Amino acid sequence: MHRAGFPSPGTSALRRGRRSEPGRCYLLTFTCKARAPLFSDATIARAAARTLTERRLWRDSHLLCWVLMPDHWHGLIELSAAESLSTLATRIKAISARTVAVAAERSGPVWASGFHDRALRKDDDLLTAARYIIRNPVRAGFCARVGDYPYWDAVWL
């Protein structure tokens, strides 16, 4: 049972109230289908990382920082006026899924349906949000220092 005023779980609940604001920065997260740890395989992770950072994928929006974990991807993006957050996320997931399918020599969905986003408020500090994203591998125990983990980047470097 859900309390009044709170959405029920599921991707349609995540979309409710979603707005795309040009120039706004968003924390964006995609998870692998069934949280499969596809990116534990270095070949697949490298292929995904190459594709997820290709300029053609982002068009006028900007990828400020990102980290690819074994079963999900986090990015900090600045959305352009030319597209909605949903359009951008759909394109990123579709193109990267094709690359991953080839690298993994598999068929079927790579990403779970939907995505999670959080719009940063004007007073949110971008560097704090970026540090949070890129420290994910450290918090998960994959490495002692961010620099030891191979699948991340930030424009501030």
Side-chain angles (χ1 to χ4, degrees):
M1 184 169 144
H2 299 284
R3 295 185 311 184
F6 289 90
S8 58
T11 58
S12 62
L14 289 175
R15 287 189 301 268
R16 200 172 303 131
R18 177 175 285 156
R19 294 184 329 175
S20 293
E21 295 180 44
R24 169 85 62 183
C25 289
Y26 291 89
L27 293 172
L28 195 58
T29 302
F30 308 148
T31 59
C32 291
K33 180 79 173 178
R35 294 300 291 239
L38 292 174
F39 308 119
S40 293
D41 180 301
T43 301
I44 298 169
R46 280 192 302 271
R50 259 191 321 273
T51 301
L52 287 163
T53 58
E54 285 181 7
R55 184 68 208 136
R56 71 182 174 99
L57 206 60
W58 295 94
R59 297 185 184 161
D60 294 328
S61 293
H62 300 285
L63 178 59
L64 303 175
C65 81
W66 61 274
V67 67
L68 183 65
M69 300 293 285
D71 65 352
H72 64 283
W73 176 86
H74 293 290
L76 177 61
I77 65 153
E78 182 179 8
L79 190 63
S80 77
E83 63 193 341
S84 71
L85 190 59
S86 291
T87 300
L88 176 64
T90 299
R91 182 175 61 249
I92 294 166
K93 288 172 67 175
I95 292 172
S96 64
R98 285 193 293 273
T99 300
V100 169
V102 169
E105 299 176 347
R106 67 187 288 272
S107 60
V110 169
W111 301 111
S113 61
F115 60 92
H116 183 269
D117 67 282
R118 182 174 85 76
L120 272 64
R121 294 184 303 266
K122 300 277 187 236
D123 59 345
D124 283 337
D125 180 36
L126 283 181
L127 286 176
T128 299
R131 286 183 186 113
Y132 173 80
I133 289 171
I134 63 174
R135 286 194 50 80
N136 266 268
V138 174
R139 283 192 303 276
F142 296 133
C143 57
R145 296 176 325 113
V146 169
D148 296 337
Y149 191 75
Y151 310 114
W152 71 276
D153 200 5
V155 298
W156 295 279
L157 297 177

